[in-house]
Amino acid sequence: MSRIQVSRLPDERVRLVEDGTEHVMDLTDLPAYVAERESAGAPRWVWDDTARWYPLLLAADVRVERCHDLRLCHRLLRRAPAVDERLLEGEESWLWDRLRAAEPTDPMLFSADDASEHLRADIEDARQVATIEASPESARLELLVAAESAGALAAAEMTHAGVPWRVDVHEALLTELLGPRPPRGARPRLLEELADDVRRLLETPGLNPDSRPHLLAALRRAGIEVPDTRRSTLRAVDHPVVEPLVRYKQLAHLFSTNGWAWIDQWVSGGRFRPVYQPAGSATGRWSSNGGGALSFPVQVRSAAVADDDWVLVVADVAQLEPRVLAGMSGDRALARAARGADLYQGMVDDGAVATRQDAKLGLLGAMYGATSGESGRMVAGLTRRYPAAFGLVEEAARAGERGQVVRTLLGRGCPALGGGSWDESPDAPPADLDDQDRHRRAYGRFTRNFVVQGTGAEWASCWIADLRNRLWRLGADGPLDARPHLVFFLHDEVVVHCPAALADAVAAEVTAAASAAGALLFRELAVDFPLNVSVVRSYADAGKPGAPASADV
DNA sequence: AGCTGTCGCGCC
DNA sequence: AGGGCGCGACAGCT
């Protein structure tokens, strides 16, 4: 398969390099060219940043099947322990180190003094290909960069498509809970009334309940001694102000994070368009720098409603990370418990623990590094039962405490201790030995979780990479605007918007893609990745049978 | 007026 | 002292 390296030239020109042969065209001619090449057999487009180039193509209804995202992969390879870093050095290499993600609002914009504007994609691509080839883990790294790049395509496609959003439903919800939209700077009526209740009950007329110091002082005057104003702290207090205050905080949060201003900013043309940053977090999980896509609150999901005659297929993986741990550690006992829809119940049936809750506490405790309490106690017992799985996270923690880096299954390396982006404490080595010890332990908890969370992110990348292709093929017979498409992704959950008639087929593909991802990553050991799939008109109706209400990781 | 740090909240 | 995030508001600073 051919690779075509795409670089910018001054004056809205583009340089394309294919097998060393150079070809220059105007930026405006690029979409038509890409469309033609795609229909002739999908080359791999190699560019500095998918978020820079792809929106331009999508706007022209051009879809790309595969790409290689040089910025993402450069960062990945820089940190991959199985890579000889020196192979990445060379012309413009330092600029790739510094390259920031494209600006969502204006992806083609570079700051005037930025030498990154005209980076040579062909030169960097050659280095990356050679670097991967020379690695003893080249097969895994190849899979990782392909999955990561495909994820970047999916991210741009999801932002382009957007989650179907009924502003009228959302506004009706806000009006019901908060009252009519207030003028700028004012509180909605029902919120203001709750604030009055709080003021009256605390006998503090001028109180601003949004101010923690004021609120703490007023609580203290009323004889309520609390260390903070957290909801859980307040709930434990027996005083008439607690109920309206907690209610106030809840509604104030809704108002400020998903209120009318949020609609104005993030919903356009009946679509909610969050901006994703693939691998935006250190573990490889995606982050989001717009719209709060990572905290898509349950409260407003009722506004996510499929178009007429369309549905949303909502799917999430039950206990993704424990299953990933079973797969990557090759723990046959845990993999056996993972057969079926509920891994924790599987552990109970296995006789390893008495209750589902114990199983969950023990597993999460092992993955997060719990040292005390119920969770810490469960870990000890489960280690005997599932030595490979629990040993893997334990070893990752010990490596971190020794100051060593760890890696995911496919070879992503974690940030080094004191290396900057971990625990943002720039060149401030802890002063005394106690501090140093705490710091190392904290790093050990980070590396412990990194291996599982990071490999979980790799599983998820493979899942959506495969799924987007399956969905594309599924809609191949129909018109372009009737194809099922991904509209949302969050760690272990996807939402597909599709014509109602295709719902069952989409559900089957989502499930098949999950199996394929598992087989791709854990070929030696079969691990099930069962999904909760719902076909719904509104996101709010997506149930999650088999999973408890609290956060399952 | 801007910036940065912290809290408290939401999601996984 | 259980991991990873983003965001809005406040507070205190320049």
Side-chain angles (χ1 to χ4, degrees), chain A residues 4 6 16 18 23 25-26 28-39 43 45 57 62:
Chain A
I4 304 181
V6 185
L16 301 171
E18 185 171 3
H23 174 197
M25 68 174 64
D26 286 335
T28 50
D29 294 331
L30 186 66
Y33 180 76
V34 172
E36 182 197 320
R37 294 300 307 265
E38 279 292 317
S39 62
W45 303 94
L57 303 176
V62 177

mmCIF file with all atom_site columns, all heavy atoms in Angstrom, chain A residues 4 6 16 18 23 25-26 28-39 43 45 57 62:
data_model
loop_
_atom_site.group_PDB
_atom_site.id
_atom_site.type_symbol
_atom_site.label_atom_id
_atom_site.label_alt_id
_atom_site.label_comp_id
_atom_site.label_asym_id
_atom_site.label_entity_id
_atom_site.label_seq_id
_atom_site.pdbx_PDB_ins_code
_atom_site.Cartn_x
_atom_site.Cartn_y
_atom_site.Cartn_z
_atom_site.occupancy
_atom_site.B_iso_or_equiv
_atom_site.pdbx_formal_charge
_atom_site.auth_seq_id
_atom_site.auth_comp_id
_atom_site.auth_asym_id
_atom_site.auth_atom_id
_atom_site.pdbx_PDB_model_num
ATOM 1   N N   . ILE A 1 4  ? 1.404   8.402  1.053   1.00 0.00 ? 4  ILE A N   1
ATOM 2   C CA  . ILE A 1 4  ? 1.521   9.728  0.436   1.00 0.00 ? 4  ILE A CA  1
ATOM 3   C C   . ILE A 1 4  ? 1.739   10.746 1.542   1.00 0.00 ? 4  ILE A C   1
ATOM 4   O O   . ILE A 1 4  ? 0.876   10.932 2.396   1.00 0.00 ? 4  ILE A O   1
ATOM 5   C CB  . ILE A 1 4  ? 0.257   10.088 -0.374  1.00 0.00 ? 4  ILE A CB  1
ATOM 6   C CG1 . ILE A 1 4  ? -0.025  9.010  -1.435  1.00 0.00 ? 4  ILE A CG1 1
ATOM 7   C CG2 . ILE A 1 4  ? 0.423   11.465 -1.019  1.00 0.00 ? 4  ILE A CG2 1
ATOM 8   C CD1 . ILE A 1 4  ? -1.246  9.298  -2.298  1.00 0.00 ? 4  ILE A CD1 1
ATOM 9   N N   . VAL A 1 6  ? 2.015   14.358 3.045   1.00 0.00 ? 6  VAL A N   1
ATOM 10  C CA  . VAL A 1 6  ? 1.384   15.642 2.754   1.00 0.00 ? 6  VAL A CA  1
ATOM 11  C C   . VAL A 1 6  ? 2.021   16.723 3.621   1.00 0.00 ? 6  VAL A C   1
ATOM 12  O O   . VAL A 1 6  ? 2.068   16.586 4.844   1.00 0.00 ? 6  VAL A O   1
ATOM 13  C CB  . VAL A 1 6  ? -0.129  15.569 3.072   1.00 0.00 ? 6  VAL A CB  1
ATOM 14  C CG1 . VAL A 1 6  ? -0.828  16.854 2.665   1.00 0.00 ? 6  VAL A CG1 1
ATOM 15  C CG2 . VAL A 1 6  ? -0.765  14.359 2.397   1.00 0.00 ? 6  VAL A CG2 1
ATOM 16  N N   . LEU A 1 16 ? 2.883   17.010 -2.077  1.00 0.00 ? 16 LEU A N   1
ATOM 17  C CA  . LEU A 1 16 ? 2.593   15.587 -1.898  1.00 0.00 ? 16 LEU A CA  1
ATOM 18  C C   . LEU A 1 16 ? 3.805   14.809 -2.369  1.00 0.00 ? 16 LEU A C   1
ATOM 19  O O   . LEU A 1 16 ? 4.328   15.073 -3.452  1.00 0.00 ? 16 LEU A O   1
ATOM 20  C CB  . LEU A 1 16 ? 1.370   15.184 -2.720  1.00 0.00 ? 16 LEU A CB  1
ATOM 21  C CG  . LEU A 1 16 ? 0.070   15.936 -2.399  1.00 0.00 ? 16 LEU A CG  1
ATOM 22  C CD1 . LEU A 1 16 ? -1.004  15.607 -3.427  1.00 0.00 ? 16 LEU A CD1 1
ATOM 23  C CD2 . LEU A 1 16 ? -0.400  15.595 -1.018  1.00 0.00 ? 16 LEU A CD2 1
ATOM 24  N N   . GLU A 1 18 ? 5.081   10.900 -3.026  1.00 0.00 ? 18 GLU A N   1
ATOM 25  C CA  . GLU A 1 18 ? 4.707   9.485  -3.109  1.00 0.00 ? 18 GLU A CA  1
ATOM 26  C C   . GLU A 1 18 ? 5.873   8.715  -3.703  1.00 0.00 ? 18 GLU A C   1
ATOM 27  O O   . GLU A 1 18 ? 6.295   8.995  -4.828  1.00 0.00 ? 18 GLU A O   1
ATOM 28  C CB  . GLU A 1 18 ? 3.452   9.332  -3.991  1.00 0.00 ? 18 GLU A CB  1
ATOM 29  C CG  . GLU A 1 18 ? 2.922   7.917  -4.030  1.00 0.00 ? 18 GLU A CG  1
ATOM 30  C CD  . GLU A 1 18 ? 1.560   7.841  -4.730  1.00 0.00 ? 18 GLU A CD  1
ATOM 31  O OE1 . GLU A 1 18 ? 1.087   8.894  -5.230  1.00 0.00 ? 18 GLU A OE1 1
ATOM 32  O OE2 . GLU A 1 18 ? 0.981   6.737  -4.780  1.00 0.00 ? 18 GLU A OE2 1
ATOM 33  N N   . HIS A 1 23 ? 5.010   16.344 -5.830  1.00 0.00 ? 23 HIS A N   1
ATOM 34  C CA  . HIS A 1 23 ? 3.898   16.831 -6.621  1.00 0.00 ? 23 HIS A CA  1
ATOM 35  C C   . HIS A 1 23 ? 3.305   17.993 -5.845  1.00 0.00 ? 23 HIS A C   1
ATOM 36  O O   . HIS A 1 23 ? 2.972   17.848 -4.671  1.00 0.00 ? 23 HIS A O   1
ATOM 37  C CB  . HIS A 1 23 ? 2.905   15.659 -6.780  1.00 0.00 ? 23 HIS A CB  1
ATOM 38  C CG  . HIS A 1 23 ? 1.625   16.007 -7.448  1.00 0.00 ? 23 HIS A CG  1
ATOM 39  N ND1 . HIS A 1 23 ? 0.514   15.207 -7.381  1.00 0.00 ? 23 HIS A ND1 1
ATOM 40  C CD2 . HIS A 1 23 ? 1.257   17.074 -8.193  1.00 0.00 ? 23 HIS A CD2 1
ATOM 41  C CE1 . HIS A 1 23 ? -0.486  15.756 -8.051  1.00 0.00 ? 23 HIS A CE1 1
ATOM 42  N NE2 . HIS A 1 23 ? -0.053  16.893 -8.558  1.00 0.00 ? 23 HIS A NE2 1
ATOM 43  N N   . MET A 1 25 ? 0.428   21.105 -5.376  1.00 0.00 ? 25 MET A N   1
ATOM 44  C CA  . MET A 1 25 ? -0.878  21.595 -5.838  1.00 0.00 ? 25 MET A CA  1
ATOM 45  C C   . MET A 1 25 ? -1.414  22.645 -4.872  1.00 0.00 ? 25 MET A C   1
ATOM 46  O O   . MET A 1 25 ? -0.887  22.837 -3.780  1.00 0.00 ? 25 MET A O   1
ATOM 47  C CB  . MET A 1 25 ? -1.881  20.436 -5.938  1.00 0.00 ? 25 MET A CB  1
ATOM 48  C CG  . MET A 1 25 ? -2.277  19.837 -4.604  1.00 0.00 ? 25 MET A CG  1
ATOM 49  S SD  . MET A 1 25 ? -3.592  18.595 -4.772  1.00 0.00 ? 25 MET A SD  1
ATOM 50  C CE  . MET A 1 25 ? -2.777  17.344 -5.744  1.00 0.00 ? 25 MET A CE  1
ATOM 51  N N   . ASP A 1 26 ? -2.482  23.328 -5.286  1.00 0.00 ? 26 ASP A N   1
ATOM 52  C CA  . ASP A 1 26 ? -3.135  24.281 -4.407  1.00 0.00 ? 26 ASP A CA  1
ATOM 53  C C   . ASP A 1 26 ? -3.924  23.523 -3.341  1.00 0.00 ? 26 ASP A C   1
ATOM 54  O O   . ASP A 1 26 ? -4.476  22.447 -3.619  1.00 0.00 ? 26 ASP A O   1
ATOM 55  C CB  . ASP A 1 26 ? -4.112  25.175 -5.191  1.00 0.00 ? 26 ASP A CB  1
ATOM 56  C CG  . ASP A 1 26 ? -3.371  26.194 -6.034  1.00 0.00 ? 26 ASP A CG  1
ATOM 57  O OD1 . ASP A 1 26 ? -2.218  26.529 -5.679  1.00 0.00 ? 26 ASP A OD1 1
ATOM 58  O OD2 . ASP A 1 26 ? -3.938  26.645 -7.051  1.00 0.00 ? 26 ASP A OD2 1
ATOM 59  N N   . THR A 1 28 ? -6.743  24.151 -2.284  1.00 0.00 ? 28 THR A N   1
ATOM 60  C CA  . THR A 1 28 ? -8.153  24.003 -2.681  1.00 0.00 ? 28 THR A CA  1
ATOM 61  C C   . THR A 1 28 ? -8.375  22.799 -3.595  1.00 0.00 ? 28 THR A C   1
ATOM 62  O O   . THR A 1 28 ? -9.500  22.313 -3.706  1.00 0.00 ? 28 THR A O   1
ATOM 63  C CB  . THR A 1 28 ? -8.650  25.276 -3.413  1.00 0.00 ? 28 THR A CB  1
ATOM 64  O OG1 . THR A 1 28 ? -7.701  25.600 -4.437  1.00 0.00 ? 28 THR A OG1 1
ATOM 65  C CG2 . THR A 1 28 ? -8.780  26.430 -2.446  1.00 0.00 ? 28 THR A CG2 1
ATOM 66  N N   . ASP A 1 29 ? -7.311  22.325 -4.221  1.00 0.00 ? 29 ASP A N   1
ATOM 67  C CA  . ASP A 1 29 ? -7.455  21.164 -5.106  1.00 0.00 ? 29 ASP A CA  1
ATOM 68  C C   . ASP A 1 29 ? -7.283  19.845 -4.367  1.00 0.00 ? 29 ASP A C   1
ATOM 69  O O   . ASP A 1 29 ? -7.500  18.764 -4.934  1.00 0.00 ? 29 ASP A O   1
ATOM 70  C CB  . ASP A 1 29 ? -6.426  21.232 -6.247  1.00 0.00 ? 29 ASP A CB  1
ATOM 71  C CG  . ASP A 1 29 ? -6.690  22.408 -7.169  1.00 0.00 ? 29 ASP A CG  1
ATOM 72  O OD1 . ASP A 1 29 ? -7.864  22.801 -7.297  1.00 0.00 ? 29 ASP A OD1 1
ATOM 73  O OD2 . ASP A 1 29 ? -5.720  22.949 -7.736  1.00 0.00 ? 29 ASP A OD2 1
ATOM 74  N N   . LEU A 1 30 ? -6.888  19.938 -3.106  1.00 0.00 ? 30 LEU A N   1
ATOM 75  C CA  . LEU A 1 30 ? -6.568  18.715 -2.369  1.00 0.00 ? 30 LEU A CA  1
ATOM 76  C C   . LEU A 1 30 ? -7.762  17.771 -2.191  1.00 0.00 ? 30 LEU A C   1
ATOM 77  O O   . LEU A 1 30 ? -7.631  16.566 -2.440  1.00 0.00 ? 30 LEU A O   1
ATOM 78  C CB  . LEU A 1 30 ? -5.948  19.064 -1.012  1.00 0.00 ? 30 LEU A CB  1
ATOM 79  C CG  . LEU A 1 30 ? -5.444  17.874 -0.195  1.00 0.00 ? 30 LEU A CG  1
ATOM 80  C CD1 . LEU A 1 30 ? -4.266  17.184 -0.884  1.00 0.00 ? 30 LEU A CD1 1
ATOM 81  C CD2 . LEU A 1 30 ? -5.042  18.312 1.214   1.00 0.00 ? 30 LEU A CD2 1
ATOM 82  N N   . PRO A 1 31 ? -8.929  18.274 -1.755  1.00 0.00 ? 31 PRO A N   1
ATOM 83  C CA  . PRO A 1 31 ? -10.048 17.345 -1.540  1.00 0.00 ? 31 PRO A CA  1
ATOM 84  C C   . PRO A 1 31 ? -10.375 16.492 -2.772  1.00 0.00 ? 31 PRO A C   1
ATOM 85  O O   . PRO A 1 31 ? -10.552 15.273 -2.646  1.00 0.00 ? 31 PRO A O   1
ATOM 86  C CB  . PRO A 1 31 ? -11.210 18.267 -1.171  1.00 0.00 ? 31 PRO A CB  1
ATOM 87  C CG  . PRO A 1 31 ? -10.562 19.457 -0.555  1.00 0.00 ? 31 PRO A CG  1
ATOM 88  C CD  . PRO A 1 31 ? -9.280  19.652 -1.342  1.00 0.00 ? 31 PRO A CD  1
ATOM 89  N N   . ALA A 1 32 ? -10.416 17.111 -3.921  1.00 0.00 ? 32 ALA A N   1
ATOM 90  C CA  . ALA A 1 32 ? -10.751 16.361 -5.133  1.00 0.00 ? 32 ALA A CA  1
ATOM 91  C C   . ALA A 1 32 ? -9.684  15.300 -5.416  1.00 0.00 ? 32 ALA A C   1
ATOM 92  O O   . ALA A 1 32 ? -9.998  14.161 -5.794  1.00 0.00 ? 32 ALA A O   1
ATOM 93  C CB  . ALA A 1 32 ? -10.884 17.312 -6.317  1.00 0.00 ? 32 ALA A CB  1
ATOM 94  N N   . TYR A 1 33 ? -8.431  15.678 -5.169  1.00 0.00 ? 33 TYR A N   1
ATOM 95  C CA  . TYR A 1 33 ? -7.356  14.728 -5.409  1.00 0.00 ? 33 TYR A CA  1
ATOM 96  C C   . TYR A 1 33 ? -7.430  13.544 -4.454  1.00 0.00 ? 33 TYR A C   1
ATOM 97  O O   . TYR A 1 33 ? -7.318  12.377 -4.856  1.00 0.00 ? 33 TYR A O   1
ATOM 98  C CB  . TYR A 1 33 ? -5.993  15.427 -5.284  1.00 0.00 ? 33 TYR A CB  1
ATOM 99  C CG  . TYR A 1 33 ? -4.831  14.501 -5.510  1.00 0.00 ? 33 TYR A CG  1
ATOM 100 C CD1 . TYR A 1 33 ? -4.481  14.097 -6.801  1.00 0.00 ? 33 TYR A CD1 1
ATOM 101 C CD2 . TYR A 1 33 ? -4.097  13.995 -4.436  1.00 0.00 ? 33 TYR A CD2 1
ATOM 102 C CE1 . TYR A 1 33 ? -3.429  13.217 -7.011  1.00 0.00 ? 33 TYR A CE1 1
ATOM 103 C CE2 . TYR A 1 33 ? -3.041  13.121 -4.634  1.00 0.00 ? 33 TYR A CE2 1
ATOM 104 C CZ  . TYR A 1 33 ? -2.711  12.735 -5.924  1.00 0.00 ? 33 TYR A CZ  1
ATOM 105 O OH  . TYR A 1 33 ? -1.672  11.865 -6.133  1.00 0.00 ? 33 TYR A OH  1
ATOM 106 N N   . VAL A 1 34 ? -7.686  13.854 -3.184  1.00 0.00 ? 34 VAL A N   1
ATOM 107 C CA  . VAL A 1 34 ? -7.783  12.790 -2.189  1.00 0.00 ? 34 VAL A CA  1
ATOM 108 C C   . VAL A 1 34 ? -8.947  11.857 -2.516  1.00 0.00 ? 34 VAL A C   1
ATOM 109 O O   . VAL A 1 34 ? -8.835  10.629 -2.440  1.00 0.00 ? 34 VAL A O   1
ATOM 110 C CB  . VAL A 1 34 ? -7.928  13.379 -0.767  1.00 0.00 ? 34 VAL A CB  1
ATOM 111 C CG1 . VAL A 1 34 ? -8.235  12.281 0.251   1.00 0.00 ? 34 VAL A CG1 1
ATOM 112 C CG2 . VAL A 1 34 ? -6.673  14.135 -0.362  1.00 0.00 ? 34 VAL A CG2 1
ATOM 113 N N   . ALA A 1 35 ? -10.066 12.456 -2.908  1.00 0.00 ? 35 ALA A N   1
ATOM 114 C CA  . ALA A 1 35 ? -11.240 11.648 -3.250  1.00 0.00 ? 35 ALA A CA  1
ATOM 115 C C   . ALA A 1 35 ? -10.919 10.682 -4.378  1.00 0.00 ? 35 ALA A C   1
ATOM 116 O O   . ALA A 1 35 ? -11.272 9.491  -4.340  1.00 0.00 ? 35 ALA A O   1
ATOM 117 C CB  . ALA A 1 35 ? -12.402 12.557 -3.644  1.00 0.00 ? 35 ALA A CB  1
ATOM 118 N N   . GLU A 1 36 ? -10.207 11.170 -5.370  1.00 0.00 ? 36 GLU A N   1
ATOM 119 C CA  . GLU A 1 36 ? -9.859  10.339 -6.522  1.00 0.00 ? 36 GLU A CA  1
ATOM 120 C C   . GLU A 1 36 ? -8.937  9.189  -6.118  1.00 0.00 ? 36 GLU A C   1
ATOM 121 O O   . GLU A 1 36 ? -9.157  8.037  -6.484  1.00 0.00 ? 36 GLU A O   1
ATOM 122 C CB  . GLU A 1 36 ? -9.182  11.238 -7.561  1.00 0.00 ? 36 GLU A CB  1
ATOM 123 C CG  . GLU A 1 36 ? -8.793  10.541 -8.838  1.00 0.00 ? 36 GLU A CG  1
ATOM 124 C CD  . GLU A 1 36 ? -7.773  11.359 -9.618  1.00 0.00 ? 36 GLU A CD  1
ATOM 125 O OE1 . GLU A 1 36 ? -7.916  12.609 -9.653  1.00 0.00 ? 36 GLU A OE1 1
ATOM 126 O OE2 . GLU A 1 36 ? -6.817  10.759 -10.145 1.00 0.00 ? 36 GLU A OE2 1
ATOM 127 N N   . ARG A 1 37 ? -7.946  9.525  -5.299  1.00 0.00 ? 37 ARG A N   1
ATOM 128 C CA  . ARG A 1 37 ? -7.019  8.473  -4.869  1.00 0.00 ? 37 ARG A CA  1
ATOM 129 C C   . ARG A 1 37 ? -7.684  7.454  -3.949  1.00 0.00 ? 37 ARG A C   1
ATOM 130 O O   . ARG A 1 37 ? -7.354  6.278  -3.970  1.00 0.00 ? 37 ARG A O   1
ATOM 131 C CB  . ARG A 1 37 ? -5.794  9.093  -4.171  1.00 0.00 ? 37 ARG A CB  1
ATOM 132 C CG  . ARG A 1 37 ? -4.918  9.935  -5.078  1.00 0.00 ? 37 ARG A CG  1
ATOM 133 C CD  . ARG A 1 37 ? -4.367  9.127  -6.246  1.00 0.00 ? 37 ARG A CD  1
ATOM 134 N NE  . ARG A 1 37 ? -3.699  7.919  -5.828  1.00 0.00 ? 37 ARG A NE  1
ATOM 135 C CZ  . ARG A 1 37 ? -2.382  7.818  -5.626  1.00 0.00 ? 37 ARG A CZ  1
ATOM 136 N NH1 . ARG A 1 37 ? -1.609  8.863  -5.826  1.00 0.00 ? 37 ARG A NH1 1
ATOM 137 N NH2 . ARG A 1 37 ? -1.845  6.675  -5.251  1.00 0.00 ? 37 ARG A NH2 1
ATOM 138 N N   . GLU A 1 38 ? -8.603  7.924  -3.116  1.00 0.00 ? 38 GLU A N   1
ATOM 139 C CA  . GLU A 1 38 ? -9.326  7.007  -2.237  1.00 0.00 ? 38 GLU A CA  1
ATOM 140 C C   . GLU A 1 38 ? -10.123 5.989  -3.044  1.00 0.00 ? 38 GLU A C   1
ATOM 141 O O   . GLU A 1 38 ? -10.133 4.800  -2.742  1.00 0.00 ? 38 GLU A O   1
ATOM 142 C CB  . GLU A 1 38 ? -10.280 7.779  -1.315  1.00 0.00 ? 38 GLU A CB  1
ATOM 143 C CG  . GLU A 1 38 ? -9.614  8.404  -0.097  1.00 0.00 ? 38 GLU A CG  1
ATOM 144 C CD  . GLU A 1 38 ? -9.104  7.372  0.909   1.00 0.00 ? 38 GLU A CD  1
ATOM 145 O OE1 . GLU A 1 38 ? -9.822  6.402  1.180   1.00 0.00 ? 38 GLU A OE1 1
ATOM 146 O OE2 . GLU A 1 38 ? -7.980  7.550  1.414   1.00 0.00 ? 38 GLU A OE2 1
ATOM 147 N N   . SER A 1 39 ? -10.786 6.473  -4.071  1.00 0.00 ? 39 SER A N   1
ATOM 148 C CA  . SER A 1 39 ? -11.615 5.554  -4.850  1.00 0.00 ? 39 SER A CA  1
ATOM 149 C C   . SER A 1 39 ? -10.753 4.602  -5.662  1.00 0.00 ? 39 SER A C   1
ATOM 150 O O   . SER A 1 39 ? -11.201 3.530  -6.057  1.00 0.00 ? 39 SER A O   1
ATOM 151 C CB  . SER A 1 39 ? -12.566 6.340  -5.752  1.00 0.00 ? 39 SER A CB  1
ATOM 152 O OG  . SER A 1 39 ? -11.820 7.112  -6.667  1.00 0.00 ? 39 SER A OG  1
ATOM 153 N N   . PRO A 1 43 ? -4.766  4.861  -0.358  1.00 0.00 ? 43 PRO A N   1
ATOM 154 C CA  . PRO A 1 43 ? -3.391  4.924  0.134   1.00 0.00 ? 43 PRO A CA  1
ATOM 155 C C   . PRO A 1 43 ? -3.380  5.342  1.606   1.00 0.00 ? 43 PRO A C   1
ATOM 156 O O   . PRO A 1 43 ? -4.431  5.623  2.156   1.00 0.00 ? 43 PRO A O   1
ATOM 157 C CB  . PRO A 1 43 ? -2.758  6.026  -0.722  1.00 0.00 ? 43 PRO A CB  1
ATOM 158 C CG  . PRO A 1 43 ? -3.886  6.927  -1.069  1.00 0.00 ? 43 PRO A CG  1
ATOM 159 C CD  . PRO A 1 43 ? -5.112  6.049  -1.163  1.00 0.00 ? 43 PRO A CD  1
ATOM 160 N N   . TRP A 1 45 ? -2.466  8.234  3.961   1.00 0.00 ? 45 TRP A N   1
ATOM 161 C CA  . TRP A 1 45 ? -2.118  9.654  3.957   1.00 0.00 ? 45 TRP A CA  1
ATOM 162 C C   . TRP A 1 45 ? -1.294  9.964  5.188   1.00 0.00 ? 45 TRP A C   1
ATOM 163 O O   . TRP A 1 45 ? -1.716  9.695  6.304   1.00 0.00 ? 45 TRP A O   1
ATOM 164 C CB  . TRP A 1 45 ? -3.382  10.513 3.922   1.00 0.00 ? 45 TRP A CB  1
ATOM 165 C CG  . TRP A 1 45 ? -4.235  10.192 2.730   1.00 0.00 ? 45 TRP A CG  1
ATOM 166 C CD1 . TRP A 1 45 ? -5.279  9.316  2.688   1.00 0.00 ? 45 TRP A CD1 1
ATOM 167 C CD2 . TRP A 1 45 ? -4.083  10.705 1.408   1.00 0.00 ? 45 TRP A CD2 1
ATOM 168 N NE1 . TRP A 1 45 ? -5.793  9.252  1.415   1.00 0.00 ? 45 TRP A NE1 1
ATOM 169 C CE2 . TRP A 1 45 ? -5.080  10.098 0.603   1.00 0.00 ? 45 TRP A CE2 1
ATOM 170 C CE3 . TRP A 1 45 ? -3.204  11.606 0.808   1.00 0.00 ? 45 TRP A CE3 1
ATOM 171 C CZ2 . TRP A 1 45 ? -5.220  10.363 -0.758  1.00 0.00 ? 45 TRP A CZ2 1
ATOM 172 C CZ3 . TRP A 1 45 ? -3.350  11.881 -0.546  1.00 0.00 ? 45 TRP A CZ3 1
ATOM 173 C CH2 . TRP A 1 45 ? -4.342  11.258 -1.319  1.00 0.00 ? 45 TRP A CH2 1
ATOM 174 N N   . LEU A 1 57 ? -11.105 18.050 4.469   1.00 0.00 ? 57 LEU A N   1
ATOM 175 C CA  . LEU A 1 57 ? -11.585 17.023 3.544   1.00 0.00 ? 57 LEU A CA  1
ATOM 176 C C   . LEU A 1 57 ? -13.030 16.647 3.856   1.00 0.00 ? 57 LEU A C   1
ATOM 177 O O   . LEU A 1 57 ? -13.859 16.514 2.949   1.00 0.00 ? 57 LEU A O   1
ATOM 178 C CB  . LEU A 1 57 ? -10.684 15.788 3.628   1.00 0.00 ? 57 LEU A CB  1
ATOM 179 C CG  . LEU A 1 57 ? -9.202  16.041 3.338   1.00 0.00 ? 57 LEU A CG  1
ATOM 180 C CD1 . LEU A 1 57 ? -8.377  14.772 3.548   1.00 0.00 ? 57 LEU A CD1 1
ATOM 181 C CD2 . LEU A 1 57 ? -9.018  16.547 1.903   1.00 0.00 ? 57 LEU A CD2 1
ATOM 182 N N   . VAL A 1 62 ? -15.249 14.291 1.704   1.00 0.00 ? 62 VAL A N   1
ATOM 183 C CA  . VAL A 1 62 ? -14.237 13.299 1.335   1.00 0.00 ? 62 VAL A CA  1
ATOM 184 C C   . VAL A 1 62 ? -13.837 12.524 2.580   1.00 0.00 ? 62 VAL A C   1
ATOM 185 O O   . VAL A 1 62 ? -13.417 13.105 3.581   1.00 0.00 ? 62 VAL A O   1
ATOM 186 C CB  . VAL A 1 62 ? -12.992 13.980 0.728   1.00 0.00 ? 62 VAL A CB  1
ATOM 187 C CG1 . VAL A 1 62 ? -11.921 12.934 0.430   1.00 0.00 ? 62 VAL A CG1 1
ATOM 188 C CG2 . VAL A 1 62 ? -13.377 14.729 -0.538  1.00 0.00 ? 62 VAL A CG2 1
#
